[in-house]
Amino acid sequence: MSKPPVADPRRTLTLRDVSEASGVSEMTVSRVLRNRGDVSETTRERVLQAARALGYVPNKIAGALASQRVNLVGVIIPSMSNMVFPEVMTGISETLEDTGLQPVVGITNYSPEREEAVLYEMLSWRPSGVIIAGLEHSEAAQAMLESAGIPIVEIMDIDGMPVDSAVGISHRRAGLKMAEAIVAAGYRRIGFLGTKMPDDHRARKRLEGFKEGLAEAGLTLADEEYYAGGSALLKGREMTETILTRSPDLDFLYYSNDMIGAGGLLYCLDKGIDVPGRLGLAGFNGVELLDGLPRKLATMDACRREIGVHAAEIIAGKHPTAVVGGEVIELFPTLEPGDTIRKG
Amino acid sequence: MSKPPVADPRRTLTLRDVSEASGVSEMTVSRVLRNRGDVSETTRERVLQAARALGYVPNKIAGALASQRVNLVGVIIPSMSNMVFPEVMTGISETLEDTGLQPVVGITNYSPEREEAVLYEMLSWRPSGVIIAGLEHSEAAQAMLESAGIPIVEIMDIDGMPVDSAVGISHRRAGLKMAEAIVAAGYRRIGFLGTKMPDDHRARKRLEGFKEGLAEAGLTLADEEYYAGGSALLKGREMTETILTRSPDLDFLYYSNDMIGAGGLLYCLDKGIDVPGRLGLAGFNGVELLDGLPRKLATMDACRREIGVHAAEIIAGKHPTAVVGGEVIELFPTLEPGDTIRKG
DNA sequence: GTGAAAGCGCTAACAC
DNA sequence: GTGTTAGCGCTTTCAC
């Protein structure tokens, strides 16, 4: 029994090889492999058999060029390591799963220059759509997005002017709402702990909204502390120690994310500080991690998975309400008071 | 002052448009845009100017088809959410950054079927190489990898037969080493807590090596507990409570990952259990999170970033030692005893 | 230093 | 149901 005739193994297989092996025209082979058009069951079988036997993998590059269709969706996000974007990705992947579309991820590290480069690279593959975090982009990136001629969904944030569609929450209002809750609970000497990230516009807007909320009650931030790099949990501990040493009379600490907030909480528990009686704490994001902590940190859910789902639906053209393009979908984060804000 | 002449905005721009706008042949435009071949500074400027003015983005699909070269590297990993793969990705991205190669990520959720589908999809874009987690693949996936005709690097694990190159640690030996350390520290009634994941071969191999290490000392696992889904930190607490209730005489708990281990540690601290005196604990991975915990969990670093760096170097053809292809690069995890294993 | 011709591997559109 | 023809937008090769 001899092996089936296989073409030069160094060359990758083409439709023509399958065509020759099966005795069916290239065109019909193509139809079978794409499940397009009517093909008799007999030829169908013959083609599939030949393709399998050869181990043929279609060349999507050629296919895309000929059909002017690319089943790729570019997803551009700042980071993969901070727990928030992986969840957005989960929502996107799930939703795209049965649409034939495939996400392709690019990471910017919060750098506008890298964002521009990644976007350029992606657009050069002519994807069916782009999902990109944030509303702030370099001038060139903005221009590319505007003239791309494909659906663009800017995610996470809706405080600004989207190029096309947007799905997200108002970080400004999220900050405002948290400030109001804190003030209502009776806290007055409030400190803020955040990241040194000039290009994290969402964190910036949250802080702006937060200060606005304090201002409504005639308050201002009593102290602030910033960090960059390293283990967020550890940094949270360190920053908390620093700020409390400098301003021992603070009665509330607002953290720009849950990880540093969790670090702060652990620090306070270590030191035996009465939380939330003497000191209240709150973070932002609603990360699942908080569920395992000894005490539950107050936070605000950023609707991460949901944002991914909506964005993907828009790109796939199967969003229940957004159909024309150019919609802004606002989601509303819920405040989860946990155990670190006084009741009443 | 009239606007520059712009072609039909619904059509995406082609080289021809730039050629016409600049009065330079398509061929020369192509050379300028790729920095290939000698082009006079004058024409160069003229072309770049025209391209910028039009907002031309090259079509890589056509380019790739013509040149038979694709600057994409497929990266296939099980998950993005468990802290280990994002770090591998970081290593890959950094290393690829100045090679002109771009990573494209596919997620399998530890499902062999999805892995097969993702791999097929990726290969159909004819990438320059594939980095894929693990040595275990479906038969079809294995066949695709073998006949892909491009560099393949299987990462994370080296206990098995790679298709081409491999970079990783021996999870079997990692488990063994941990068992030996635990036994040496005098623990005798040892429990294991892990995930219900038949397709997480690395966790499986670690456990096998661990049991082997116990067997060397004439010991066997005293109890086991498994979980699936949910917040790993919270699950760690719950499982720890469950197993300690069922087997109160256990003197050591070995967790299959640091997150559930951290949950267990927090539980023990809550309950006032003497760690590591009455009960020792250890996890696996060496996640940065551990640095912020009240006590440092014993763990073993999985060399995640380093694995990404080596794998990318192999694909980019710039690995210091691996040059022929087909190499196996073994990295050696270090045991970090932290504060949860008795000294001596 | 620049241009013209051919073709990469597919699929749209149309015949049969 | 199946086959033929033309071309997608680039780059390779070779001529000038």
Side-chain angles (χ1 to χ4, degrees), chain B residues 35-47:
Chain B
N35 284 314
R36 284 244 188 300
D38 289 334
V39 179
S40 76
E41 196 49 41
T42 337
T43 17
R44 199 186 140 64
E45 271 315 316
R46 215 151 22 117
V47 168

Side-chain angles (χ1 to χ4, degrees), chain A residues 57 60 80 124 126 237 292, chain B residues 57 60 80 124 126 237 292:
Chain A
V57 177
K60 288 225 179 188
M80 216 56 209
S124 73
R126 303 289 187 265
R237 296 181 94 97
Chain B
V57 177
K60 288 225 179 187
M80 218 51 212
S124 73
R126 302 290 187 265
R237 295 181 94 94

Side-chain angles (χ1 to χ4, degrees), chain A residues 9 12-13 33 55-62 64-65 68-72 80-81 83 86 89-90 93 97 100 102-105 107 109 114 117-118 120-126 144 147-149 230-234 237 259 263 266 270 288-294, chain B residues 9-10 12-13 33 55-62 64-65 68-72 80-81 83 86 89-90 93 97 100 102-105 107 109 114 117-118 120-126 144 147-148 230-234 237 259 263 266 270 288-294:
Chain A
T12 72
L13 270 21
L33 264 22
Y56 171 70
V57 177
N59 185 330
K60 288 225 179 188
I61 297 173
L65 185 60
Q68 309 277 55
R69 245 192 304 270
V70 178
N71 69 337
L72 263 25
M80 216 56 209
S81 50
M83 317 224 78
M89 280 307 306
T90 304
S93 306
E97 205 143 276
Q102 264 249 327
V104 176
V105 186
I107 307 288
N109 294 319
R114 273 211 61 72
V118 168
Y120 185 80
E121 179 72 18
M122 284 205 162
L123 289 180
S124 73
W125 286 100
R126 303 289 187 265
M144 284 191 257
S147 61
S231 159
L233 207 57
L234 182 58
R237 296 181 94 97
M259 281 301 272
L266 290 173
D270 268 12
E288 154 188 279
L289 173 82
L290 301 180
D291 291 338
L293 258 27
Chain B
R10 283 160 314 184
T12 71
L13 269 22
L33 265 21
Y56 171 69
V57 177
N59 185 331
K60 288 225 179 187
I61 297 174
L65 185 59
Q68 309 277 56
R69 248 193 303 270
V70 178
N71 69 337
L72 262 25
M80 218 51 212
S81 49
M83 318 224 75
M89 280 307 306
T90 304
S93 305
E97 204 143 277
Q102 265 250 325
V104 176
V105 187
I107 307 288
N109 293 319
R114 273 211 61 71
V118 167
Y120 185 80
E121 180 71 19
M122 283 203 162
L123 289 180
S124 73
W125 286 100
R126 302 290 187 265
M144 282 190 258
S147 61
S231 158
L233 207 57
L234 182 56
R237 295 181 94 94
M259 280 301 270
L266 290 173
D270 268 12
E288 154 189 280
L289 173 82
L290 301 181
D291 291 338
L293 258 27

Side-chain angles (χ1 to χ4, degrees), chain A residues 72-74 96 101 128-131 150-153 164-165 309-319:
Chain A
L72 263 25
V73 177
L96 253 30
L101 292 171
S128 297
V130 167
I131 297 174
I150 52 174
I152 307 289
V153 185
D164 181 10
S165 305
V309 170
H310 283 285
E313 283 176 349
I314 292 178
I315 297 290
K318 61 171 197 183
H319 193 275

Side-chain angles (χ1 to χ4, degrees), chain A residues 168-301:
Chain A
I169 67 170
S170 165
H171 286 265
R172 183 174 293 277
R173 242 166 306 159
L176 184 84
K177 200 166 150 188
M178 183 58 89
E180 289 172 346
I182 291 169
V183 170
Y187 297 102
R188 288 295 175 271
R189 298 221 14 105
I190 297 160
F192 176 80
L193 299 92
T195 45
K196 272 197 206 79
M197 282 226 198
D199 290 308
D200 185 346
H201 298 281
R202 294 175 289 287
R204 194 201 71 220
K205 291 172 184 176
R206 272 199 311 277
L207 178 55
E208 286 171 6
F210 188 74
K211 285 178 176 166
E212 212 177 290
L214 295 185
E216 281 177 2
L219 298 173
T220 55
L221 276 188
D223 199 354
E224 318 173 37
E225 181 69 22
Y226 296 87
Y227 84 106
S231 159
L233 207 57
L234 182 58
K235 287 292 173 186
R237 296 181 94 97
E238 296 172 355
M239 293 165 78
T240 304
E241 174 153 39
T242 306
I243 202 171
L244 286 179
T245 305
R246 189 169 55 219
S247 308
D249 59 341
L250 291 176
D251 65 2
F252 201 97
L253 300 178
Y254 181 43
Y255 295 86
S256 75
N257 70 63
D258 284 342
M259 281 301 272
I260 55 173
L265 174 57
L266 290 173
Y267 172 82
C268 292
L269 295 178
D270 268 12
K271 294 292 171 190
I273 297 174
D274 169 21
V275 175
R278 139 107 187 72
L279 184 69
L281 304 172
F284 180 83
N285 263 338
V287 304
E288 154 188 279
L289 173 82
L290 301 180
D291 291 338
L293 258 27
R295 199 96 47 102
K296 198 145 185 293
L297 183 70
T299 189
M300 227 158 158
D301 175 33

